Amino acid sequence: MSEGASYAAAGVDIEAGDRAVELMKEWVAKATRPEVVGGLGGFAGLFDATALTSYRRPLLATSTDGIGTKVAIAQKLDKHDTIGFDLVGMVVDDLVVCGAEPLFMTDYICTGKVVPETIAQIVKGIAEACVEAGTALVGGETAEHPGLLEADEYDVAGAATGVVEADEVLGAERVRAGDVVLAMASSGLHSNGYSLVRHVFFDRAKWTLDRTVPELGTSLGEVLLTPTRVYAKHCLELIQELNDGDDKPLHAMSHITGGGFAANLARVIPDQLSVRIDRSTWTPAPIFGLVGLLGDVPLPELEKTLNMGAGMVAVLDPSSADAAIQALAARDIPAWVCGEVTATAGGTVTLEGTYAK
């Protein structure tokens, strides 16, 4: 007589999932805030909202995102403890652009087969990035999907909630003609455009991840897996420093992700104004030029796909630009004035000139 079917025989290992939870607990415990109630293992994460009573009119902000095909690089290199920074950066830095403080986050990991050590490494990176962002990791889900994903494949997503005072929300309505655009350096490609990047390096150039590239100073794989810079905590501190008084010179911020510099900055520019960006004010890292060169990718295509070296921008009164640059430098974030807001109607962002060598 044949043996009856079981969940394990179908490819789902509940015990492995339990083991993964045990391994990740120490990392999740580090990504906490005083408002977190309870620990890991409940059906829902609990967060004490009493602190919100001190707000005049608190607005909750929420954001969700994933890592994209950068996970394929982590899987090929069998290195899983850094992509958490990509996930957290993609989520919390979307919140901070409106001035919101990210309070808590949850994650979702879907895999073909739960390998507890791998899952724990992924969560380790997420937790460490949450600590850097000042947000709590209050829970998550690990799902095993045999037949949908290969045993060594996984995808990662997350969501976060933040809060901001209603009368302190940053955005297009604050932007004025004469404002300057302040760019903040990215750590590299971050987590966008990897379908193009992988196509160029692997399909067209036939490069391997272990290839040492003189222009990069290291292996291709190390550069492609460079974690996303998490700006949230630094940007919040910058907002607090500059906008603490009645005069609030920091008017808007934009997270430069999929769509590139122009499209993302345009989201916070009102229709009656426009922006001119001067490419000559910075030099993109070599990885951006390599993608263009090896893939014969036109500059407009590069710029609408990749961040080109600027992962976050602020729009502010020119009188506060130097103070902002100094404040960010103290937090190890290079920043520079790269453009200005003009009185030209259209709400467009135009990149002019040539990148510095």
Side-chain angles (χ1 to χ4, degrees), residues 17-18 20-22 24-26 28-29 36-46 106 137-142:
D18 292 340
V21 171
E22 287 302 315
M24 70 177 71
K25 277 185 176 179
E26 71 167 293
V28 176
V36 175
V37 177
L40 192 65
F43 286 96
L46 300 177
T106 57
L137 182 60
V138 297
E141 172 71 10
T142 300

Side-chain angles (χ1 to χ4, degrees), residues 99-184:
E101 176 187 5
L103 300 174
F104 56 85
M105 182 169 178
T106 57
D107 63 57
Y108 175 76
I109 304 170
C110 178
T111 182
K113 178 178 175 58
V114 170
V115 178
E117 292 75 15
T118 298
I119 301 301
Q121 286 296 295
I122 296 171
V123 175
K124 171 180 179 287
I126 296 172
E128 289 177 336
C130 281
V131 171
E132 188 167 313
T135 190
L137 182 60
V138 297
E141 172 71 10
T142 300
E144 200 167 28
H145 288 177
L148 183 63
L149 296 170
E150 296 297 325
D152 59 349
E153 291 180 338
Y154 59 77
D155 198 10
V156 185
T161 298
V163 62
V164 59
E165 285 281 13
D167 59 1
E168 295 179 3
V169 173
L170 303 180
E173 64 279 359
R174 293 178 179 263
V175 175
R176 301 288 182 265
D179 282 352
V180 295
V181 179
L182 188 75
M184 303 178 209

Side-chain angles (χ1 to χ4, degrees), residues 188-199:
L189 294 168
H190 284 183
S191 192
N192 303 106
Y194 271 77
S195 292
L196 172 63
V197 169
R198 289 165 54 242
H199 171 68

Side-chain angles (χ1 to χ4, degrees), residues 275-328:
V275 172
R276 287 200 306 263
I277 299 296
D278 182 1
R279 294 188 184 99
S280 70
T281 58
W282 81 97
T283 304
I287 187 65
F288 298 101
L290 274 177
V291 174
L293 179 65
L294 293 176
D296 195 24
V297 183
L299 182 58
E301 182 70 17
L302 278 180
E303 291 181 330
K304 76 177 185 181
T305 307
L306 307 176
N307 67 59
M308 300 304 291
M312 180 75 76
V313 297
V315 183
L316 68 165
D317 188 279
S319 64
S320 295
D322 287 343
I325 291 171
Q326 292 172 13
L328 290 166

Side-chain angles (χ1 to χ4, degrees), residues 76-95:
K76 286 183 177 180
L77 292 175
D78 194 25
K79 180 172 174 55
H80 315 283
D81 62 346
T82 62
I83 58 169
F85 282 82
D86 301 295
L87 176 66
V88 174
M90 290 303 105
V91 175
V92 301
D93 288 340
D94 275 0
L95 290 179

